[in-house]
Amino acid sequence: MTEQGILGYFDGPKAIILGAKRLRKTRQFQKWDAFTPFAVHTLDEAMDLPRSILPWFVLASGLSGLTFAIWFLSWTSAVNFPIWVGGKPMLSWPAWVPIFFELTILFSAWANLLGMLGLCGLPFHAKKPLDLRFTDDKFALWIPSDEPGYDAAALESALREAGASDVRVVRKGDV
Amino acid sequence: MNTPETLRRRRPLVTGGKTVHDVTQDVCAPAERWGSMAFWSSFSTSQTALFVYLCAWLLVQTIGLKLVGINNASDWGSFIVNFVFWVGIGHAGTLISAILFLFRQNWRTSINRAAEAMTVFAVSCAGVFPMLHTGRPWLAILFVFPYPNFRGPLWTNFRSPLEWDVFAVSTYATVSVLFWYMGMIPDLATLRDRARHPIRKFFYGLFSMGWRGSMRHWIHYETAYMIFAAIATPLVLSVHTIVSFDFAVSILPGWHTTIYPPYFVAGAIFSGFAMVVTLLVPARKLFHLEDYITLDHLEVMNKIILLTGSLVGFAYITEFFIAVYSGAPFERFAFVNRAFGPFWWAYWIMMSCNLITPQFFWFRYIRRSIPLMWLLSLFVNVGMWFERYVIVVTLTRSFLMPSWGAYIMTFWDVVILVGSFGQFMTLFLLFCRVLPVCNMAEVKAFHPDTLRQIRESHDHD
């Protein structure tokens, strides 16, 4: 019966934002999380969660798409099978701009979706939902048991003081 | 930016006093109950049209393209007309999901899912036409994409607008599907968590990728959504620009004009919004979503139809004026021929449907009258199809005497055109039955109660 962590339910976006702020006044959290049916704006600031590094992946992928397009079109048109048409230049890059652009976008889009899933650890490191109502209309803060200084009793009272309407300790096999 | 102050003044995006839980109930309901009589009758009609469509294609591909009207005077005929028509329809979906997102138009939240679905299905309808136009669709994939081969190797012609089109439309289709799918992940998780039947659990579970609404995941998700909007915005503008290059880059009077890209993009958004209205007016009734897709939503879309319709009408007049004013005899002939030549009737259908129809939306009564807006949206759809018809078919009278000829759509052209609507409607109705029609997560995030609570949490500091 190992404890997995503690869930504090809040009655809506306002309660959970204020609750997260109140909790952070007295203690620090590194691994905590929240479960919400939609992206509650400003809750990430209230919980002091880091920004996503996804844009860098997308930029890198977009630039490699562009590089690939430049290399591939130059190689096919000027090296691999050059066709001499009326003395026109082989490296006619202005006529290739549409393809450069489209491949940049295509690579960025794939990196964006796969990068988002990868950073979330989905689907291969997906965990079971702790409560099926989180995708409907329930809001909760989650403090896992591997959080430094985890103490279920102290956290329960802290969550209740912060405005949680219900607190539940999750044990292995509970879900 | 919509500050909390401006939101306070606006009318709520969700009416009928619906709570956040009601949003889940109402949006999931169509996917969780047996379809109504109205649904099954429209679905079977669409499927019949789809079946006729497939039979018509089978016949045309087996016997040959001689069954349809294309000839030396008009090599492209109704194939390119239908292709450009369907690609254009798709643009409204991306405009709603990407451009309106960047402009913080929060009313888009309840209609973006259906509009994106429309994009995906419209592009799939469009993609059929160039492939089958080759006459050897089983080889078409080898004609259009570069691949290593033993003919030189001979690569595709990357300097050709038709090849640009291959890249533009395939990228557009891919990005639209990815964007649509990513936006659906949280809602699929909602359906998964509500599912009782193991088959439903399995499939919604598979496609929701293990989403469980974690705030750490929402941060990545919101970033990815923003990036998708940011890359889809230039993409959607580029796609119809490149489609217009199919015409504008060829050195032909009437086609070789710089006005084509902006005028095609405006026309695409115009026709797409008309199609959104055409679809959503019955869909919101059929699936009981009147409190989410409200009259206010429809009114805003009608305003966009008015704006883009006026842009398109202005472009028609501009290009005619420039053709006459330029003094270039062939250019002038191309336009006079459009308006007064053998295809005058098509030109005037186009002018009246696209120039006059949207102007009715200056009147608030018409913007908010559901039967009238639906009727007008149908006229816009017809008009925009005829726009492409006029552009393509009037070239059967040009400065090159040998290219003169008669282009007449045959019975099979008409069956294929009607049948492509069968494909589109079948896919759209299937979507409405198995997937969430509104973006629940976003509707909840912009629910009047949510906005009030987030505002109050700021005031509290």
Side-chain angles (χ1 to χ4, degrees):
Chain A
M1 293 293 272
T2 44
E3 283 181 20
Q4 286 199 312
I6 188 163
L7 268 179
Y9 287 79
F10 289 83
D11 289 334
K14 179 187 174 188
I16 198 168
I17 292 171
L18 295 179
K21 282 182 185 164
R22 281 186 203 130
L23 275 175
R24 273 213 306 131
K25 274 184 190 148
T26 50
R27 53 186 86 209
Q28 294 295 316
F29 298 99
Q30 274 126 46
K31 299 195 169 175
W32 70 336
D33 204 345
F35 295 107
T36 54
F38 52 85
V40 179
H41 292 188
T42 69
L43 177 59
D44 50 339
E45 292 162 30
M47 291 174 70
D48 194 29
L49 294 179
R51 286 184 60 171
S52 177
I53 55 163
L54 182 63
W56 296 105
F57 286 106
V58 178
L59 179 69
S61 179
L63 288 178
S64 38
L66 177 64
T67 315
F68 170 74
I70 293 173
W71 167 77
F72 183 64
L73 269 63
S74 312
W75 179 72
T76 51
S77 304
V79 180
N80 188 240
F81 197 89
I83 302 176
W84 188 256
V85 183
K88 288 175 186 160
M90 298 294 179
L91 290 174
S92 54
W93 67 268
W96 298 336
V97 169
I99 296 177
F100 293 167
F101 174 76
E102 299 300 339
L103 284 178
T104 310
I105 297 286
L106 185 64
F107 276 59
S108 311
W110 277 110
N112 195 24
L113 178 69
L114 299 180
M116 187 276 282
L117 290 173
L119 287 172
C120 295
L122 297 177
F124 301 111
H125 299 284
K127 292 175 186 141
K128 285 214 159 162
L130 298 172
D131 189 326
L132 295 183
R133 295 169 302 169
F134 290 148
T135 52
D136 178 9
D137 64 342
K138 291 284 179 255
F139 303 77
L141 284 175
W142 164 248
I143 297 141
S145 55
D146 55 358
E147 178 77 49
Y150 175 84
D151 173 8
L155 281 170
E156 176 165 355
S157 60
L159 279 165
R160 283 199 194 278
E161 268 170 43
S165 57
D166 190 14
V167 179
R168 183 160 74 91
V169 177
V170 180
R171 292 189 175 78
K172 214 174 184 91
D174 257 6
V175 182
Chain B
M1 278 290 270
N2 277 333
T3 58
E5 285 66 40
T6 60
L7 287 168
R8 212 174 306 205
R9 283 200 306 274
R10 296 225 173 125
R11 253 185 286 221
L13 296 174
V14 179
T15 58
K18 300 282 186 183
T19 63
V20 168
H21 179 63
D22 291 336
V23 176
T24 318
Q25 292 283 14
D26 293 348
V27 177
C28 291
E32 290 175 343
R33 62 163 182 247
W34 188 247
S36 59
M37 272 310 284
F39 169 80
W40 286 113
S41 55
S42 46
F43 188 63
S44 51
T45 314
S46 311
Q47 274 202 312
T48 312
L50 174 63
F51 181 70
V52 173
Y53 184 54
L54 293 174
C55 293
W57 272 126
L58 192 65
L59 204 66
V60 168
Q61 297 299 324
T62 321
I63 297 178
L65 291 177
K66 65 180 178 184
L67 284 186
V68 295
I70 47 172
N71 54 26
N72 278 343
S74 186
D75 291 314
W76 287 356
S78 73
F79 291 103
I80 189 123
V81 177
N82 298 340
F83 166 76
V84 180
F85 173 76
W86 280 119
V87 174
I89 295 290
H91 281 47
T94 318
L95 185 108
I96 291 170
S97 58
I99 300 183
L100 295 185
F101 178 79
L102 296 183
F103 283 115
R104 300 286 191 278
Q105 295 298 303
N106 299 334
W107 58 272
R108 65 183 267 295
T109 50
S110 64
I111 55 166
N112 66 359
R113 174 69 46 72
E116 284 170 43
M118 184 196 77
T119 297
V120 172
F121 304 144
V123 174
S124 80
C125 289
V128 169
F129 288 97
M131 292 292 143
L132 293 169
H133 190 190
T134 60
R136 299 280 187 280
W138 52 94
L139 296 176
I141 201 88
L142 306 180
F143 300 157
V144 297
F145 286 109
Y147 66 102
N149 58 70
F150 292 104
R151 288 173 278 125
L154 190 61
W155 300 97
T156 50
N157 181 8
F158 297 113
R159 301 180 183 101
S160 160
L162 297 177
E163 186 62 17
W164 303 345
D165 227 13
V166 170
F167 280 84
V169 175
S170 59
T171 302
Y172 183 51
T174 312
V175 174
S176 302
V177 171
L178 296 185
F179 194 7
W180 182 53
Y181 172 64
M182 196 200 75
M184 221 158 15
I185 289 175
D187 288 359
L188 289 172
T190 305
L191 279 165
R192 172 202 64 199
D193 289 348
R194 289 166 60 88
R196 294 212 183 82
H197 196 282
I199 294 178
R200 292 176 62 84
K201 267 199 178 116
F202 175 76
F203 280 103
Y204 287 125
L206 187 67
F207 288 105
S208 60
M209 294 267 177
W211 185 266
R212 56 176 192 165
S214 150
M215 193 63 213
R216 288 179 187 268
H217 293 179
W218 278 117
I219 293 172
H220 295 307
Y221 175 88
E222 290 278 283
T223 310
Y225 203 95
M226 173 70 89
I227 294 173
F228 259 129
I231 63 179
T233 297
L235 176 67
V236 69
L237 300 180
S238 85
V239 171
H240 232 57
T241 298
I242 292 174
V243 169
S244 83
F245 284 167
D246 289 345
F247 303 95
V249 173
S250 64
I251 320 281
L252 284 171
W255 284 9
H256 189 56
T257 50
T258 50
I259 201 174
Y260 261 38
Y263 142 55
F264 264 56
V265 172
I269 292 164
F270 176 52
S271 67
F273 266 91
M275 188 58 95
V276 176
V277 171
T278 310
L279 287 177
L280 286 188
V281 163
R284 69 196 274 273
K285 267 266 175 295
L286 199 54
F287 301 106
H288 308 292
L289 297 168
E290 290 99 329
D291 284 320
Y292 306 102
I293 303 167
T294 64
L295 206 51
D296 292 318
H297 288 89
L298 295 171
E299 186 186 3
V300 181
M301 287 194 269
N302 291 334
K303 284 180 185 168
I304 295 182
I305 293 177
L306 171 60
L307 169 72
T308 49
S310 304
L311 285 171
V312 169
F314 181 68
Y316 290 161
I317 296 167
T318 307
E319 66 170 358
F320 206 105
F321 170 77
I322 293 296
V324 174
Y325 187 67
S326 68
F330 300 131
E331 183 79 10
R332 187 180 291 175
F333 171 77
F335 280 86
V336 172
N337 176 54
R338 274 183 195 176
F340 306 109
F343 291 101
W344 61 271
W345 50 274
Y347 183 83
W348 292 107
I349 289 175
M350 164 191 108
M351 281 304 245
S352 46
C353 287
N354 295 348
L355 194 64
I356 300 168
T357 307
Q359 303 307 320
F360 286 109
F361 287 134
W362 284 108
F363 302 101
R364 189 164 189 272
Y365 174 75
I366 296 175
R367 279 202 307 268
R368 295 183 72 88
S369 156
I370 287 182
L372 285 177
M373 75 169 83
W374 198 68
L375 192 68
L376 293 178
S377 76
L378 291 182
F379 276 111
V380 173
N381 285 320
V382 171
M384 284 307 293
W385 188 85
F386 271 99
E387 178 198 297
R388 284 66 179 249
Y389 183 82
V390 165
I391 290 171
V392 172
V393 169
T394 52
L395 266 193
T396 50
R397 296 280 182 284
S398 77
F399 67 109
L400 293 166
M401 288 301 155
S403 76
W404 281 43
Y407 176 77
I408 301 156
M409 281 173 68
T410 66
F411 172 73
W412 296 107
D413 276 304
V414 179
V415 170
I416 285 167
L417 168 61
V418 176
S420 66
F421 281 89
Q423 180 191 349
F424 180 70
M425 286 310 299
T426 303
L427 290 169
F428 189 79
L429 286 167
L430 268 180
F431 152 75
C432 292
R433 279 283 282 133
V434 299
L435 295 171
V437 182
C438 292
N439 193 333
M440 285 185 272
E442 284 192 3
V443 168
K444 288 172 189 171
F446 289 98
H447 189 280
D449 187 47
T450 309
L451 293 174
R452 180 184 55 78
Q453 291 204 29
I454 290 180
R455 197 165 59 231
E456 284 174 6
S457 79
H458 290 272
D459 298 344
H460 216 274
D461 289 339

